[in-house]
Amino acid sequence: MDDLRPLPHATRIARTSREGVELLREHRDTYIDELWLDHDLGGEDSIMPVVTLLEEAAFSGRPFRIGTVFVHSANPIGAETVVRSLTRWNYRVRRTAA
């Protein structure tokens, strides 16, 4: 999920948080090998609605099945927020360079 960057190995790309939430809901019962998240998605949009969806799923005892979540934001504070939030719910998260 990234508003600008090409993600050459991605099967599906969401450019907004709304598209990201829809995409995750569409694949709710599918194993996701890698999920790439950018914090800032243009204008006032951010990845936080997607993070909230992932947190709520884990809180309810039914986390999304994701191999690794890669956070690749150029926003260090936003990226750290995503990493902390998802790590807290036992998602496997890695911070990568934007």
Side-chain angles (χ1 to χ4, degrees):
M1 297 176 197
D2 193 305
D3 61 324
L4 298 173
R5 292 177 192 88
L7 300 171
H9 301 292
T11 303
R12 303 277 305 270
I13 297 176
R15 297 294 184 188
T16 67
S17 61
R18 177 176 286 185
E19 289 176 8
V21 167
E22 290 173 8
L23 191 59
L24 281 176
R25 286 184 175 152
E26 179 182 327
H27 295 281
R28 178 62 180 105
D29 296 316
T30 305
Y31 175 78
I32 300 168
D33 186 42
E34 295 181 358
L35 179 63
W36 290 75
L37 303 178
D38 179 19
H39 183 272
D40 301 320
L41 298 176
E44 297 295 314
D45 197 13
S46 79
I47 202 65
M48 294 314 292
V50 172
V51 172
T52 299
L53 177 66
L54 294 168
E55 290 176 309
E56 288 173 348
F59 177 78
S60 69
R62 201 168 158 245
F64 281 82
R65 296 180 307 127
I66 302 169
T68 304
V69 177
F70 292 93
V71 180
H72 63 276
S73 179
N75 175 338
I77 294 170
E80 187 55 33
T81 299
V82 173
V83 169
R84 274 196 323 263
S85 297
L86 296 180
T87 301
R88 174 178 181 237
W89 292 103
N90 297 317
Y91 289 102
R92 183 175 177 207
V93 183
R94 292 196 179 172
R95 175 79 166 96
T96 64

